Amino acid sequence: MTQTAPESSAVTTSGDGRFASLDPRTGEVVAHHPIHDAKQVADAVAQARRAGKWWQELGFAGRKERLDAWRRLLVKRLDEAAGLISAETGKPAADAKLEMVIVIDHLHWAARNAERVLRKRRVSAGLLMSNQAATLEYLPVGVVGVIGPWNYPAFTPMGSIAYALAAGNTVVFKPSELTPGVGTWLADTLAEIVPEHPVLSVVTGFGETGAALCRSGVDKLAFTGSTATGKRVMAACAESLTPVLVECGGKDALIVDFDADVQLAADAAVWGAMSNAGQTCIGVERVYVHEDVADEFTGAVKKLAQKLRPGGEPGADLGPITMPSQVDIIRRHVQDALDKGATALVGGVESVRPPFVEPVVLADVPEDSTAITEETFGPTITINRVRDVDEAIRLANAGRYGLGGTIFSKARGEELARRLKAGMVSVNGVVAFAAIPSLPFGGIGDSGFGRIHGEDGLREFARPQAVARRKFKPLLNPMSFTRGAGTVRQLLAIVKLRYGRK
């Protein structure tokens, strides 16, 4: 999710055209950043376009050399990056470091594999066009605009930035107004490696700045945020037919079959639901557990969740709710579930103590409650028992989102995964797909469309160009007004002979 208007307790503005990012744990100012207007955004895009010619001419090898050097710099300054992520999001230091570890792995994969995936290759011209040489090449689209979220302010946007840069594009990045410092830091570190031209530049501000980026003439825009904001981004980009990649929210389900490793599933459920204080688009928000193992699973989840403590100190299990307005949504979802008959196994409405929320585990939650139907984005989880996995799959697929999912089953994991209406599924693990650079990341339905990561992620920021080159004069040329009267008849005879048989 991403916020497009200032939150009074999350950011502050000043009369000099700047705003402050705040530490959500303490309310202290982290840094001040400019509010870029439409002209400044347009100027950044124009500079990126000029830089793009040079960046493309470096070729795959030249770009890889510089992206590899950036990766090494990120490794060297990982603690610095993690400290800034913690300051702007409030997440524990260990979680911030883990985020940077995954960033570095993805950057390495994108730089290493870009040439293999995108370079020019020969493809078969087929029998009928055997006189042609056919090639396919994926060329850079140009300037890519990226609008990033606050919950994973490095990992999520770098899923677009790293792959777009490796594909030969330049990037203009608008980070969330809650985490502008992380975006600025990323651009500054790359500029140390690539001082010649601004191949990655940052514009900061609120919703108006993001809207200006949509209308700035970028060649593609990648957005991560809420479904509602995603629709507004699409509408703005539609004015100029700017293609978009949209990764929105999720309401991911975890399914526990009767033969699952129950303790492993419980540990995964708690991590998937509570890590990053539940502020994860691919986090576990719903669990459907087979009735045969429901009591054991529920008891294990309860035991694990009760141990977790939020706080602002380095050793806390959970950080604060980064965006203040989300606190009311969490409270409302918990209250609605309880009002409709759910049972609180851990915590309850009293667990919401801004800016922190203690773990909440709800059982027997009605399927029409907002805790089931809407994205909560907090350290909460619902657990409902089912008669069999068929019922679990039906309930998991009933919502409007389709981002990720999890299956715990010893015998039928992959079979059940194929039945989930989701772009990504982990089997006997949780959110593992996000940390595997070779796998595409994205959803369906209200979770958006398009893919980052993997080969699909590289091609997402490239335009395929097909070229057919005549090698010699064909024996039969039907594509000319000078063709003979029997040309098409002869071609039909060839087709029937070649393709008409089993």
Side-chain angles (χ1 to χ4, degrees):
M1 296 175 63
T2 188
Q3 186 73 10
T4 56
E7 292 283 336
S8 59
S9 56
V11 294
T12 59
T13 57
S14 58
D16 61 353
R18 298 189 305 158
F19 69 102
S21 63
L22 306 181
D23 187 326
R25 298 167 295 191
T26 64
E28 296 177 347
V29 173
V30 178
H32 289 87
H33 299 271
I35 302 174
H36 288 111
D37 60 22
K39 182 181 183 306
Q40 291 169 312
V41 172
D43 289 344
V45 172
Q47 288 182 334
R49 196 168 300 284
R50 290 191 291 271
K53 185 175 185 297
W54 173 81
W55 185 244
Q56 291 180 27
E57 289 176 349
L58 285 179
F60 291 111
R63 292 193 294 270
K64 181 180 182 299
E65 179 183 350
R66 286 157 177 80
L67 293 176
D68 284 345
W70 188 27
R71 167 175 50 83
R72 291 190 293 269
L73 181 62
L74 294 184
V75 172
K76 182 179 179 180
R77 296 171 62 179
L78 189 149
D79 287 346
E80 178 185 341
L84 184 54
I85 292 171
S86 289
E88 290 197 320
T89 67
K91 69 176 62 178
D95 290 353
K97 291 177 181 178
L98 176 60
E99 180 174 348
M100 284 303 300
V101 166
I102 302 175
V103 164
I104 290 163
D105 197 28
H106 275 276
L107 178 57
H108 175 250
W109 192 94
R112 184 183 63 187
N113 289 279
E115 182 172 10
R116 175 183 63 81
V117 174
L118 304 175
R119 66 190 175 197
K120 180 186 289 188
R121 71 202 65 189
R122 290 183 178 182
V123 296
S124 172
L127 174 66
L128 298 181
M129 302 298 289
S130 58
N131 72 308
Q132 298 284 326
T135 58
L136 172 63
E137 183 178 10
Y138 291 88
L139 301 171
V141 297
V143 179
V144 174
V146 176
I147 298 178
W150 48 262
N151 56 332
Y152 291 92
F155 167 69
T156 300
M158 280 292 284
S160 296
I161 293 169
Y163 289 77
L165 289 171
N169 305 283
T170 51
V171 176
V172 178
F173 174 34
K174 192 274 178 190
S176 166
E177 65 272 17
L178 302 183
T179 55
V182 177
T184 300
W185 186 91
L186 288 170
D188 288 347
T189 53
L190 181 56
E192 292 181 31
I193 302 299
V194 188
E196 298 93 336
H197 297 280
V199 297
L200 170 61
S201 54
V202 167
V203 292
T204 54
F206 302 107
E208 294 79 4
T209 305
L213 185 58
C214 293
R215 298 184 172 97
S216 64
V218 293
D219 299 291
K220 186 160 191 172
L221 190 126
F223 165 82
T224 302
S226 70
T227 301
T229 304
K231 291 177 180 179
R232 292 195 292 271
V233 166
M234 290 174 61
C237 289
E239 296 172 7
S240 56
L241 287 182
T242 299
V244 295
L245 180 158
V246 180
E247 193 264 284
C248 301
K251 193 70 181 176
D252 293 4
L254 183 150
I255 293 174
V256 185
D257 202 359
F258 72 93
D259 66 342
D261 183 326
V262 174
Q263 295 300 319
L264 185 65
D267 182 76
V270 174
W271 170 262
M274 310 295 177
S275 62
N276 202 36
Q279 300 166 114
T280 304
C281 58
I282 52 172
V284 176
E285 297 212 2
R286 300 175 292 155
V287 174
Y288 297 105
V289 56
H290 196 288
E291 60 186 5
D292 289 354
V293 294
D295 290 341
E296 181 185 358
F297 173 83
T298 301
V301 168
K302 181 177 178 180
K303 183 178 180 180
L304 290 168
Q306 286 175 330
K307 296 178 181 179
L308 302 179
R309 294 290 179 267
E313 64 277 5
D317 299 304
L318 314 176
I321 302 304
T322 305
M323 187 169 68
S325 63
Q326 196 65 30
V327 172
D328 290 334
I329 295 173
I330 297 168
R331 182 188 291 111
R332 188 169 67 248
H333 286 193
V334 173
Q335 186 67 65
D336 180 64
L338 295 173
D339 289 346
K340 290 180 177 177
T343 300
L345 301 179
V346 177
V349 176
E350 69 278 3
S351 302
V352 182
R353 301 174 182 176
F356 301 100
V357 176
E358 297 172 349
V360 177
V361 179
L362 303 172
D364 305 320
V365 183
E367 290 295 317
D368 64 347
S369 69
T370 52
I372 293 287
T373 61
E374 298 179 11
E375 187 177 35
T376 305
F377 230 57
T380 69
I381 189 170
T382 67
I383 303 176
N384 286 345
R385 60 182 64 208
V386 293
R387 294 183 304 275
D388 52 41
V389 288
D390 291 334
E391 182 183 8
I393 293 288
R394 178 179 62 80
L395 293 171
N397 289 342
R400 55 195 176 94
Y401 295 104
L403 193 54
T406 305
I407 301 288
F408 273 86
S409 174
K410 291 178 181 177
R412 303 175 59 192
E414 292 191 24
E415 171 199 340
L416 297 174
R418 295 187 74 250
R419 295 171 60 188
L420 272 184
K421 188 184 73 175
M424 305 158 290
V425 183
S426 285
V427 177
N428 297 328
V430 67
V431 303
F433 45 75
I436 300 175
S438 56
L439 287 179
F441 185 105
I444 59 175
D446 273 16
S447 292
F449 52 85
R451 294 295 184 268
I452 56 175
H453 302 173
E455 295 184 6
D456 294 64
L458 286 168
R459 294 190 186 102
E460 192 77 45
F461 300 105
R463 58 180 182 88
Q465 186 178 70
V467 175
R469 177 179 58 83
R470 175 171 157 158
K471 297 187 296 183
F472 53 82
K473 181 180 179 181
L475 295 176
L476 297 171
N477 183 15
M479 299 180 183
S480 171
F481 286 110
T482 62
R483 68 191 183 196
T487 299
V488 173
R489 184 176 66 253
Q490 290 174 289
L491 281 175
L492 287 173
I494 294 172
V495 167
K496 289 177 181 179
L497 181 63
R498 177 65 177 84
Y499 301 120
R501 300 175 179 179
K502 287 187 178 180

